[in-house]
Amino acid sequence: MSLHAPKLAPRDCGDCQIRHRAVCARCDGDELARLEEMKYYRSFQAGQNIVWSADRMDFVGSVVSGIATLTQTMEDGRRQMVGMLLPSDFVGRPGRAIAPYDVTAVTDLVMCCFRRKPFEEMMATTPHVAQRLLEMTLDELDAAREWMLLLGRKTAREKIASFLTILARRETGLKAKTPKGQISFDLPLTREEMADYLGLTLETVSRQMSALKRDGVLELEEKRRITVPNYDRLAEETGDDADGGMLA
Amino acid sequence: MSLHAPKLAPRDCGDCQIRHRAVCARCDGDELARLEEMKYYRSFQAGQNIVWSADRMDFVGSVVSGIATLTQTMEDGRRQMVGMLLPSDFVGRPGRAIAPYDVTAVTDLVMCCFRRKPFEEMMATTPHVAQRLLEMTLDELDAAREWMLLLGRKTAREKIASFLTILARRETGLKAKTPKGQISFDLPLTREEMADYLGLTLETVSRQMSALKRDGVLELEEKRRITVPNYDRLAEETGDDADGGMLA
DNA sequence: CGTCTTCCTTGATCCGGATCAAATGAAAGG
DNA sequence: CCTTTCATTTGATCCGGATCAAGGAAGACG
């Protein structure tokens, strides 16, 4: 669930601006103050599970730093990642007590949380917050549907390229549609996590990364550090049409 | 986007109860009346396109009868269905003018519509409606994520079985989790449309349907009319765990 | 009636990605 | 330094589903 550029500049509200922008870009001072009182922080270590599927989830919140993933697992162990949460992304389901998937910290992670009940009560009395959450949920739904196209119809090479363009876009300012020229960034996920995201095996991920490197689409100086010499060249590999593809 | 059982009994409001339950299960009389004034109907023929991807979409609404689909298409023609709308499902994206996918009537279809602008204005002043829409969007998101698991990790046979359990559940009362015994229903989609839904080819869909028939999981008396002699036997084929799988 | 057309089934073959297996490299710890 | 561990790469082989191709069944319509 990613953050749209707020319509209004975020107000200064202590050390947790990210969270306020995420859930309350258009709130007035009172609402900000009420949110401020309710918040608390939780830290997680890399690899630590935050919520298990089918468990109660008694909080909502935003990622302050680090990366979390949402995954679904079948009885026999097949896994599919269904969401990746980067800083400023929102976690949680107002009105829903039970988590339908595992939430896991893949790096060290700090979240800014609100207990679910009082948050919901506040939501009921401040229409802006409900509307903001609806917007964010619609964004997530768009992203999920784009991902369904990727999972159902793209080749392994296109999947990898699509994934990298998403990271590249997150890197160069939130949601900039067409970054230009050379971009470097770290891969936040292991090959296996990428495979779970893309509906592939880790071997196929590794092979396709090597192939893209061989073809000059990217450089891999450190296995987890990538340089894309030419964003447009990478974008051609995604199978999306030229004008951006992942746009909402 | 499917309809939760309303918390309150729907009020009698003319010939369009479905729509009111969908967007306004908890509205009071005034709000119902305002919705009533705004509504209008649109009919579409089987196969007719309702909205093209990237077009403006100036209405929201509910399906009254018939079936519509949401699909994304790649430049080279690869298609992935990303949603299937049955009666009472909601269509449209409050706050979003541009449709990110094609909306198509796959059968003759009647929709109950509201112009987007006034609907949004009403939403801003009636918190119940925004909250109801948030709930519905969260349901859709859950369904999309379940679908991502299907697309990314299930075998062709599991995909077909999963699809049929969804239809079977819709058939036996909305969202009943485990229908019992024998169920018969019509297949609303062609083999090709099923393939687009499941990330397969139409040949594979046909072959797997034949295989399930050969194995006694289902009977196909008329190609588009299915009988499942034992729901649990079908559910075993989905790969989901025994307690329902598709539950939210 | 015969001929389209559309939808579906079935067969033969191919290929992309999965699976099985081994080796490399880097970091951590004794 | 050596050993262990974990992430990654690469090779060899296999197989599920795609692709190519042909034929059948049911309307629609002259």
Side-chain angles (χ1 to χ4, degrees), chain B residues 155-156 201 203-204 207:
Chain B
T155 64
T201 59
E203 293 96 330
T204 298
R207 268 186 256 273

Coordinates of all heavy atoms in Angstrom, one line a residue, chain B residues 155-156 201 203-204 207, chain D residues 17-21 25:
Chain B
T155 N -1.3 -25.5 -9.5 CA -1.3 -26.3 -10.7 C -2.6 -26.0 -11.5 O -3.6 -25.5 -11.0 CB -1.2 -27.8 -10.5 OG1 -2.4 -28.2 -9.8 CG2 0.0 -28.1 -9.6
A156 N -2.6 -26.4 -12.8 CA -3.8 -26.2 -13.6 C -5.0 -26.8 -13.0 O -6.1 -26.2 -12.9 CB -3.5 -26.7 -15.0
T201 N -4.3 -21.6 -20.8 CA -4.8 -21.5 -22.1 C -6.2 -22.2 -22.1 O -6.4 -23.0 -21.2 CB -3.9 -22.2 -23.1 OG1 -3.7 -23.6 -22.8 CG2 -2.6 -21.5 -23.2
E203 N -7.1 -24.6 -24.0 CA -6.9 -26.0 -24.2 C -6.7 -26.7 -22.9 O -7.2 -27.7 -22.6 CB -5.7 -26.3 -25.1 CG -6.0 -25.9 -26.6 CD -5.4 -24.5 -26.9 OE1 -5.3 -23.7 -26.0 OE2 -5.0 -24.3 -28.0
T204 N -5.8 -26.0 -22.1 CA -5.5 -26.6 -20.7 C -6.8 -26.7 -19.9 O -7.0 -27.6 -19.2 CB -4.4 -25.8 -20.1 OG1 -3.2 -25.9 -20.8 CG2 -4.1 -26.4 -18.7
R207 N -8.9 -29.6 -21.1 CA -8.3 -30.8 -20.7 C -8.5 -31.1 -19.2 O -8.8 -32.3 -18.8 CB -6.8 -30.8 -21.0 CG -6.4 -31.4 -22.4 CD -4.9 -31.5 -22.5 NE -4.4 -30.4 -23.4 CZ -4.3 -30.5 -24.7 NH1 -4.8 -31.5 -25.3 NH2 -3.9 -29.4 -25.4
Chain D
dG17 P 0.2 -27.8 -14.8 OP1 -0.1 -26.9 -13.7 OP2 -0.6 -29.0 -15.1 O5' 0.2 -27.0 -16.1 C5' 1.1 -25.9 -16.2 C4' 1.3 -25.4 -17.6 O4' 1.9 -26.4 -18.4 C3' 0.0 -25.1 -18.4 O3' 0.2 -23.9 -19.1 C2' -0.1 -26.3 -19.4 C1' 1.3 -26.6 -19.7 N9 1.7 -27.9 -20.2 C8 1.2 -29.1 -19.9 N7 1.7 -30.1 -20.5 C5 2.6 -29.5 -21.4 C6 3.5 -30.0 -22.3 O6 3.6 -31.2 -22.6 N1 4.2 -29.1 -23.0 C2 4.2 -27.7 -22.7 N2 5.0 -26.9 -23.4 N3 3.4 -27.2 -21.8 C4 2.6 -28.1 -21.2
dA18 P -0.8 -23.2 -20.0 OP1 -1.0 -21.8 -19.4 OP2 -1.9 -24.0 -20.4 O5' 0.1 -22.9 -21.3 C5' 1.4 -22.3 -21.2 C4' 2.0 -22.3 -22.6 O4' 2.4 -23.6 -23.0 C3' 1.2 -21.7 -23.7 O3' 2.0 -20.9 -24.5 C2' 0.7 -22.9 -24.4 C1' 1.8 -23.9 -24.2 N9 1.3 -25.3 -24.0 C8 0.4 -25.8 -23.1 N7 0.2 -27.1 -23.2 C5 1.0 -27.5 -24.2 C6 1.3 -28.8 -24.8 N6 0.7 -29.9 -24.4 N1 2.2 -28.8 -25.7 C2 2.8 -27.7 -26.1 N3 2.7 -26.5 -25.7 C4 1.7 -26.4 -24.7
dT19 P 1.4 -20.1 -25.7 OP1 2.3 -18.9 -25.9 OP2 0.0 -19.9 -25.6 O5' 1.6 -21.1 -26.9 C5' 2.9 -21.6 -27.2 C4' 2.9 -22.5 -28.4 O4' 2.3 -23.8 -27.9 C3' 2.0 -22.1 -29.5 O3' 2.8 -22.2 -30.7 C2' 0.9 -23.1 -29.6 C1' 1.5 -24.3 -28.9 N1 0.6 -25.3 -28.2 C2 0.7 -26.6 -28.5 O2 1.5 -27.0 -29.4 N3 -0.1 -27.5 -27.9 C4 -1.0 -27.1 -26.9 O4 -1.7 -27.9 -26.3 C5 -1.1 -25.7 -26.6 C7 -2.1 -25.2 -25.6 C6 -0.3 -24.9 -27.3
dC20 P 2.3 -21.6 -32.1 OP1 3.5 -21.0 -32.8 OP2 1.1 -20.8 -31.9 O5' 1.9 -22.9 -32.9 C5' 2.8 -24.0 -33.0 C4' 2.2 -25.2 -33.7 O4' 1.4 -25.9 -32.7 C3' 1.3 -24.8 -34.8 O3' 1.5 -25.7 -35.9 C2' -0.1 -25.0 -34.2 C1' 0.1 -26.2 -33.3 N1 -0.8 -26.3 -32.2 C2 -1.2 -27.6 -31.8 O2 -0.7 -28.6 -32.3 N3 -2.1 -27.8 -30.7 C4 -2.6 -26.7 -30.1 N4 -3.4 -26.9 -29.1 C5 -2.2 -25.4 -30.5 C6 -1.3 -25.2 -31.5
dA21 P 0.7 -25.6 -37.3 OP1 1.7 -26.0 -38.3 OP2 0.1 -24.3 -37.4 O5' -0.4 -26.7 -37.2 C5' 0.0 -28.1 -36.8 C4' -1.3 -28.9 -36.7 O4' -1.9 -28.7 -35.4 C3' -2.4 -28.6 -37.7 O3' -2.7 -29.8 -38.4 C2' -3.5 -28.1 -36.9 C1' -3.3 -28.8 -35.5 N9 -3.9 -28.1 -34.4 C8 -3.9 -26.8 -34.0 N7 -4.6 -26.5 -32.9 C5 -5.0 -27.8 -32.5 C6 -5.8 -28.2 -31.4 N6 -6.2 -27.4 -30.5 N1 -6.0 -29.5 -31.3 C2 -5.6 -30.4 -32.2 N3 -4.9 -30.1 -33.3 C4 -4.6 -28.8 -33.4
dA25 P -19.9 -35.2 -32.6 OP1 -20.1 -36.4 -31.7 OP2 -20.3 -35.3 -34.0 O5' -20.6 -34.0 -31.9 C5' -20.2 -33.6 -30.6 C4' -20.9 -32.3 -30.3 O4' -20.3 -31.2 -31.0 C3' -22.4 -32.2 -30.8 O3' -23.2 -31.6 -29.7 C2' -22.3 -31.4 -32.0 C1' -21.2 -30.4 -31.7 N9 -20.5 -29.9 -32.9 C8 -20.1 -30.5 -34.0 N7 -19.5 -29.8 -34.9 C5 -19.5 -28.5 -34.3 C6 -18.9 -27.3 -34.7 N6 -18.3 -27.1 -35.8 N1 -19.1 -26.3 -33.8 C2 -19.7 -26.4 -32.7 N3 -20.3 -27.6 -32.2 C4 -20.1 -28.6 -33.0

